[in-house]
């Protein structure tokens, strides 16, 4: 396809600037987002084995609930019954006492069980919160601000992301046929990175369009519904389903959890209930929401759909979030969430999204590499012999931010297993940001070439901490052999980082001396080089 040269040049400039402005944040979002494809297995991997007695049967659950509410009256306001217990859900019953100072909506969660003699057991040590941190990093593109501040910024980055997709496609169109399967590996490293960037971008284009569009919807979710309400009237249809409860009359006896599960399965045969969420509805009467999944449909939340259920009769009364029972509007909204979360199609789709997420992170990394080298070439053509301070800083950030993210997530994952219930969300956040900021600062001080080698090694060592933590914790930690995949993937990523360190070292020693990635004449940030030597990147 033939396009005017000036049009292609303009779109190339747009693609480069938009990419460099959003690429570092998008790397964090895609890398953390790839890990959230297996958020529940990660949480189970990082969580210590339950310290409570085995969960009582569903038939004995009413006894557990009665004893827990008698000892802890605050639980009556709202509690959950977990139909499947494991390290991530260590007890049949749990409830959370909210902390108004916790901006992440957390608090103290209590877990209850019955001892062999029937006595009540209550503990507050639950599953690790490291998976929640990774999810927040994904949602907020790594920004350490409150959710209300981070989400609009994330929306702006998503809009830049969409512009980068369109402009990149326009730039690639003139050479689409000749460069479609081109991957020229040789002495021209910049050409090799460009080919790899183009191939990754083109073949994952539908995935990136989906991510960009759905991210904008998530970021401006409230604004969209406010506009809808102003234009058409009515409240928000996208909120969580209200927990169904009769509004009048004395409360009749509620069904037992076992009866609720049986009634839901009768009405929705393909739906597998996972959690019963009890609360208070109209007039303070008992209310119930059932969370679960149906492999035939995508769901609204990352791993479950939900329905409002009458706790007295077991009848499903709210289906806006219920897979297979939604109206057209609700099903359309759910499709946005399902496409973003990859929660349809089972393990095959989750692995595909995991690999596409890692490839997306690598796409932004290579894009930044190319932009920095292109900027340096323009500086040389303009007569600048020395690398400018701006180029050095951009090069250092291109190395420090991605590798700091990788190292920070790896170390805080390992800490989750070693510290167990002693590691709070705040502690995990502190570990991550300490490693992230340290790596970024190190890159700025050492320069892109040296830091590229050193931080790749740091990332590999941090990644190896994950299987090392498993060895220290011992085999008794696992509640499923499949969780060993966490350690296996960490080993593979560590090997990839070691290979990256070797390649970066070779590039620093033998590459063009005028390159941003060359260590042969690199000086501190902003300082002039000793011996100007021109050369092509």
């Amino acid at each position: 396809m033939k396009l005017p040269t000036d049009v292609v040049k303009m779109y190339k400039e747009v693609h480069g600037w938009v990419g460099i402005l959003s690429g570092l944040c998008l790397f964090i979002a895609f890398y953390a987002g790839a890990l959230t494809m297996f958020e529940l297995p990660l949480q189970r991997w990082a969580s210590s084995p339950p310290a409570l007695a085995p969960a009582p049967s569903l038939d004995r659950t009413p006894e557990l609930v009665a004893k827990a509410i008698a000892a802890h009256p605050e639980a009556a306001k709202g509690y959950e019954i977990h139909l499947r217990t494991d390290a991530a859900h260590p007890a049949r019953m749990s409830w959370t006492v909210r902390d108004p100072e916790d901006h992440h909506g957390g608090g103290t969660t209590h877990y209850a069980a019955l001892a062999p003699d029937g006595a009540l057991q209550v503990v507050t040590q639950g599953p690790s919160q490291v998976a929640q941190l990774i999810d927040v990093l994904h949602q907020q593109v790594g920004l350490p601000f409150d959710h209300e501040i981070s989400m609009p910024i994330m929306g702006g980055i998503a809009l830049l992301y969409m512009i980068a997709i369109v402009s990149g496609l326009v730039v690639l169109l003139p050479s689409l046929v000749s460069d479609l399967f081109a991957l020229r590996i040789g002495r021209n490293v910049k050409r090799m990175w460009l080919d790899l960037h183009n191939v990754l971008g083109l073949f994952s284009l539908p995935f990136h369009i989906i991510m960009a569009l759905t991210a904008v919807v998530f970021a401006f979710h409230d604004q969209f519904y406010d506009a809808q309400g102003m234009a058409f009237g009515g409240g928000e249809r996208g909120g969580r389903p209200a927990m169904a409860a009769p509004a009048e009359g004395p409360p009749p006896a509620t069904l037992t959890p076992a009866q609720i599960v049986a009634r839901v399965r009768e009405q929705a045969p393909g739906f597998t209930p996972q959690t019963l969420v009890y609360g208070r509805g109209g007039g303070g009467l008992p209310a119930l929401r059932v969370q679960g999944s149906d492999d035939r449909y995508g769901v609204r939340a990352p791993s479950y759909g939900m329905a409002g259920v009458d706790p007295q009769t077991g009848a499903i009364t709210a289906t806006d979030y219920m897979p297979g029972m939604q109206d057209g509007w609700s099903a359309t909204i759910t499709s946005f969430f399902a496409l973003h979360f990859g929660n349809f199609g089972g393990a095959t789709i989750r692995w595909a999204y995991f690999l596409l997420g890692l490839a997306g992170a690598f796409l932004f990394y290579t894009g930044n590499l190319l932009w920095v080298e292109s900027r340096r070439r323009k500086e040389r053509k303009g007569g600048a012999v020395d690398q400018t301070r701006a180029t050095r800083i951009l090069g250092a950030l291109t190395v420090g931010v991605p590798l700091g993210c990788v190292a920070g997530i790896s170390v805080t994952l390992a800490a989750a297993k070693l510290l167990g219930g002693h590691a709070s969300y705040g502690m995990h956040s502190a570990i991550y940001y300490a490693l992230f900021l340290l790596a970024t600062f190190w890159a700025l001080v050492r320069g892109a070439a040296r830091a590229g080698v050193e931080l790749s090694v740091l990332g590999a060592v941090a990644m190896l901490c994950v299987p090392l933590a498993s060895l220290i914790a011992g085999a008794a930690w696992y509640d499923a052999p499949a969780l060993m995949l966490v350690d296996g993937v960490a080993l593979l990523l560590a090997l990839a980082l070691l290979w990256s360190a070797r390649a970066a070292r070779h590039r620093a020693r033998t590459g063009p001396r005028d390159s941003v990635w060359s260590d042969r004449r690199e000086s501190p940030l902003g300082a002039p080089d000793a011996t100007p030597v021109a050369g092509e990147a």
Side-chain angles (χ1 to χ4, degrees):
M1 181 177 180
K2 187 66 175 177
L3 291 175
T5 303
D6 57 337
V7 171
V8 175
K9 184 177 180 181
M10 178 190 70
Y11 274 95
K12 189 174 182 180
E13 286 287 325
V14 171
H15 183 73
W17 276 107
V18 169
I20 200 68
L21 289 174
S22 61
L24 296 177
C25 289
L26 289 172
F27 178 94
I28 298 173
F30 269 71
Y31 182 75
L35 298 182
T36 62
M37 288 296 100
F38 300 101
E39 181 176 352
L40 291 181
L42 268 179
Q43 189 180 47
R44 289 168 60 191
W45 177 90
S47 301
S48 58
L52 295 166
S57 66
L58 281 184
D59 292 332
R60 290 194 65 192
T61 298
E63 176 189 351
L64 169 65
V65 172
K67 289 183 176 180
I69 291 178
H72 301 270
E74 71 277 7
K77 297 179 181 179
Y79 59 90
E80 298 183 2
I81 300 299
H82 304 285
L83 304 179
R84 182 185 65 189
T85 57
D86 51 34
H89 306 92
R92 180 69 75 196
M93 178 184 179
S94 69
W95 68 93
T96 300
V97 179
R98 301 296 177 186
D99 180 0
E101 299 299 323
D102 191 332
H103 299 294
H104 295 282
T108 302
T109 301
H110 301 261
Y111 301 89
L114 293 176
D117 62 357
L120 178 68
Q121 292 180 326
V122 178
V123 300
T124 57
Q125 179 177 335
S128 171
Q129 298 187 58
V130 69
Q132 180 187 355
L133 170 66
I134 296 173
D135 189 33
V136 170
L137 291 174
H138 162 63
Q139 293 179 34
Q140 300 183 178
V141 293
L143 298 173
F145 311 127
D146 288 345
H147 196 68
E148 293 74 15
I149 298 175
S150 298
M151 291 307 287
I153 299 175
M154 184 276 282
I157 292 172
L159 291 172
L160 292 176
Y161 175 26
M162 198 68 211
I163 295 172
I165 292 173
V166 174
S167 57
L169 188 59
V170 172
V171 170
L172 190 59
L173 281 176
S175 59
L176 182 60
V177 175
S178 60
D179 291 347
L180 183 59
F181 295 101
L183 186 55
R184 287 157 283 196
I185 300 176
R187 293 180 60 85
N188 192 333
V189 180
K190 183 173 182 292
R191 168 54 63 182
M192 180 192 70
W193 284 119
L194 180 60
D195 289 343
L196 185 59
H197 181 81
N198 290 340
V199 168
L200 285 175
L202 186 63
F203 283 97
S204 58
L205 181 62
F207 175 77
H208 285 281
I209 292 175
I210 290 170
M211 292 300 108
L213 289 176
T214 53
V216 171
V217 172
F218 296 158
F220 302 112
H221 174 274
D222 293 341
Q223 290 85 347
F224 288 153
Y225 277 112
D226 288 344
Q228 172 189 300
M230 292 176 62
F232 304 107
E236 178 185 336
R237 293 198 57 183
R240 283 175 174 261
M243 293 196 239
E248 298 178 355
T254 60
L255 298 180
T256 65
Q259 291 171 325
I260 291 291
V261 170
R263 287 287 294 117
V264 169
R265 284 175 173 167
E266 288 176 6
Q267 299 168 81
F271 183 75
T272 302
Q274 298 170 350
T275 306
L276 308 183
V277 183
Y278 288 87
R280 295 291 174 183
L285 298 177
L288 174 62
R289 183 172 66 238
V290 178
Q291 298 176 174
S293 61
D294 189 332
D295 292 339
R296 299 171 300 172
Y297 304 96
V299 293
R300 182 72 173 264
S303 59
Y304 60 83
M306 63 191 90
V309 174
D310 188 323
Q312 285 78 41
T313 66
I316 296 176
T317 57
T319 60
D320 283 352
Y321 286 69
M322 184 65 171
M325 299 180 68
Q326 297 171 305
D327 59 21
W329 170 263
S330 298
T332 300
I333 297 299
T334 295
S335 68
F336 279 92
F337 287 82
L339 286 171
H340 188 91
F341 295 140
N343 56 20
F344 60 95
T348 301
I349 294 297
R350 288 200 173 273
W351 276 105
Y353 268 52
F354 173 75
L355 296 175
L356 285 168
L358 291 182
F362 192 67
L363 178 73
F364 303 122
Y365 180 65
T366 56
N368 280 22
L369 293 179
L370 291 167
W371 193 91
V372 171
E373 282 291 359
S374 296
R375 179 182 176 89
R376 178 60 191 139
R377 289 183 63 187
K378 290 181 180 178
E379 291 170 353
R380 287 199 302 268
K381 290 180 180 179
V385 177
D386 298 327
Q387 296 174 10
T388 63
R389 179 184 294 270
T391 300
R392 288 178 177 272
I393 290 176
L394 287 171
L397 290 176
T398 295
V399 169
V401 169
L403 293 176
C405 171
V406 171
I409 289 178
S410 301
V411 171
T412 200
L413 260 177
K417 177 154 285 193
L418 296 178
L419 298 176
H422 301 291
S424 64
Y425 180 92
M427 187 179 296
H428 283 302
S429 181
I431 292 172
Y432 169 79
Y433 283 109
L435 265 292
F436 175 79
L437 293 175
L438 177 63
T440 303
F441 177 75
W442 184 267
L444 290 170
V445 171
R446 296 284 288 167
R450 294 171 184 165
V453 179
E454 296 158 351
L455 293 181
S456 293
V457 173
L458 173 66
V461 171
M463 197 69 71
L464 290 173
C465 288
V466 173
L468 179 61
S470 291
L471 290 175
I472 295 173
W477 190 281
Y478 293 100
D479 65 353
L483 296 185
M484 295 181 183
L485 282 173
V486 174
D487 299 319
V489 171
L491 284 171
L492 290 176
L493 292 177
L495 291 175
L497 286 167
L498 288 174
W499 176 86
S500 175
R502 182 176 179 274
R505 184 182 181 188
H506 177 76
R507 172 73 167 168
R509 289 184 173 182
T510 64
R513 298 179 66 186
D514 197 33
S515 169
V516 177
W517 316 110
S518 174
D519 188 28
R520 293 195 287 168
R521 55 189 295 277
E522 188 168 347
S523 56
L525 288 176
D529 294 326
T531 308
V533 179
E536 284 296 321

